[in-house]
Amino acid sequence: KYIVLFFLLILLNLSLSFSSNSDSLETKLKSANEDTVKVNLLNDLSAKYLNETPVKALNYAQQALALSIELKYESGITYSHENIGRYSHNQSDYKSAFQSYSEALKFYQNKKDSSGIRRIYFNISLNSCLFLCLSSFLQLFFLILFFFF
């Protein structure tokens, strides 16, 4: 009984801290200049909203990408592509996810960022696996329909 209550309190605390953290970033964003600080805020908000409000996450990532390109801010461009790739992956748009991850990978390779390269390769492999599994499943499904119906 107490264990369940304990876990409920932890979940409540986590949800409140997520909300306050997001609100804090939103407040900072309103007063941010059109610079790399704003790009980082947009990308952080995109990452925060990815699972909670995906469309909002995509919007922030696209804004960050546009501003990063305007500022020629490579780290912002990279992180924006990575966020857009995550959004696309979560929406089962594996082709778009692959394109975004590939763009991010180019920047990580240019910077020789082994941590970023590993992360992108992991995301690409997971994305490819899901895409191939889904494709194989659909092919099998249609074969079964063709032969049995």
Side-chain angles (χ1 to χ4, degrees):
K1 187 175 175 179
Y2 292 112
I3 293 174
V4 172
L5 181 62
F6 176 73
F7 283 113
L8 287 175
L9 288 173
I10 288 175
L11 288 175
L12 177 65
N13 186 32
L14 288 174
S15 69
L16 289 175
S17 67
F18 173 82
S19 177
S20 65
N21 189 12
S22 298
D23 291 343
S24 170
L25 291 172
E26 295 269 3
T27 302
K28 289 178 184 176
L29 181 63
K30 289 177 185 174
S31 61
N33 294 324
E34 299 289 308
D35 59 12
T36 59
V37 172
K38 185 171 185 173
V39 169
N40 293 334
L41 287 169
L42 288 164
N43 273 320
D44 289 346
L45 281 163
S46 175
K48 293 255 184 255
Y49 283 117
L50 186 61
N51 294 319
E52 183 184 300
T53 316
V55 174
K56 200 171 191 177
L58 177 62
N59 183 34
Y60 282 130
Q62 289 172 331
Q63 288 180 55
L65 180 59
L67 184 55
S68 296
I69 291 169
E70 182 182 317
L71 298 171
K72 296 176 178 57
Y73 179 42
E74 285 192 8
S75 293
I77 293 169
T78 306
Y79 193 26
S80 301
H81 279 300
E82 200 169 340
N83 282 336
I84 292 168
R86 285 190 200 109
Y87 166 83
S88 299
H89 176 90
N90 288 355
Q91 299 300 310
S92 301
D93 185 355
Y94 301 118
K95 185 177 179 182
S96 294
F98 180 77
Q99 290 169 339
S100 294
Y101 288 147
S102 296
E103 287 297 319
L105 182 61
K106 289 177 195 174
F107 287 100
Y108 284 130
Q109 287 172 330
N110 287 340
K111 291 191 288 185
K112 297 181 180 14
D113 180 343
S114 60
S115 174
I117 291 169
R118 276 193 306 271
R119 190 173 56 252
I120 293 298
Y121 276 142
F122 174 78
N123 288 339
I124 287 174
S125 64
L126 180 62
N127 187 62
S128 298
C129 178
L130 289 171
F131 177 74
L132 292 173
C133 290
L134 182 62
S135 297
S136 298
F137 172 77
L138 289 174
Q139 287 174 353
L140 181 61
F141 177 74
F142 287 119
L143 277 174
I144 290 170
L145 281 177
F146 179 76
F147 282 112
F148 293 103
F149 296 103

